[in-house]
Amino acid sequence: MAALMKIEGFRSLNQDIETIINKSDAIKKKRKENEEGFSVKEKRELTDEEKEIKSKRKQIQEKLMKFATRIPIFMYLTDYREYSLKDVILQLEPKLFERVTGLTKQDFALLVSLNVFNEALMNDAVYKFKRYEDSSLSYSGIDRHEGEKMVGGYSTVITVEEYRE
């Protein structure tokens, strides 16, 4: 939670996250305690609480998406294209990553260990960004892969030939 609070936009969500956790626990407890059924009023209260939880989760998801939009900015600013993005963040340019996103490398490592980032989707997104960036730069005659043998994704590295296919 502390790592997420460092991301701009998450700072105001601390209360929302606590609400989600507390209400989810309360709903589960009510359902276990009352196996026979609920009155109309109790069902309505549970439904309202469940709607609030869904709303809060959606807000958190939107904030994560906002954070994800900062990743391409970081990728654009770094020159380490032949390394995986994860390695660039954790080893090569952690200070730049912190300035762009607000996360330290320790916070990022923690979020990675908690599986906040879907590795397959992140790899796909990184390669798509690099392809888009390359196509836009090729108009001006710039080849970002000149002399390079490898191109890094989020957590993988492939050869330039594989990348161009």
Side-chain angles (χ1 to χ4, degrees), residues 82-109:
E82 65 275 9
Y83 298 96
S84 73
L85 184 61
K86 204 190 256 186
D87 289 342
V88 174
I89 292 168
L90 294 173
Q91 297 168 11
L92 300 171
E93 295 209 64
K95 293 288 185 198
L96 177 62
F97 182 74
E98 184 175 356
R99 291 201 66 189
V100 172
T101 64
L103 280 180
T104 64
K105 74 178 190 177
Q106 293 83 5
D107 294 336
F108 178 76

Side-chain angles (χ1 to χ4, degrees), residues 54-79:
K54 285 180 184 178
S55 170
K56 303 276 186 203
R57 283 186 179 171
K58 185 174 181 181
Q59 288 176 1
I60 291 170
Q61 186 178 30
E62 287 170 359
K63 297 297 181 183
L64 274 174
M65 289 172 69
K66 183 177 178 183
F67 167 73
T69 62
R70 291 176 183 235
I71 299 291
I73 296 168
F74 172 75
M75 289 171 49
Y76 185 74
L77 294 173
T78 186
D79 291 328

Side-chain angles (χ1 to χ4, degrees), residues 142-158:
I142 299 172
D143 182 6
R144 293 286 302 239
H145 303 292
E146 191 174 331
E148 292 180 358
K149 295 180 180 174
M150 307 299 280
V151 176
Y154 169 71
S155 62
T156 61
V157 178
I158 60 174

Side-chain angles (χ1 to χ4, degrees), residues 19 38 45-46 48 51 78 82 113 125:
T19 302
F38 293 102
E45 286 174 6
L46 280 176
D48 290 343
K51 284 180 185 176
T78 186
E82 65 275 9
S113 72

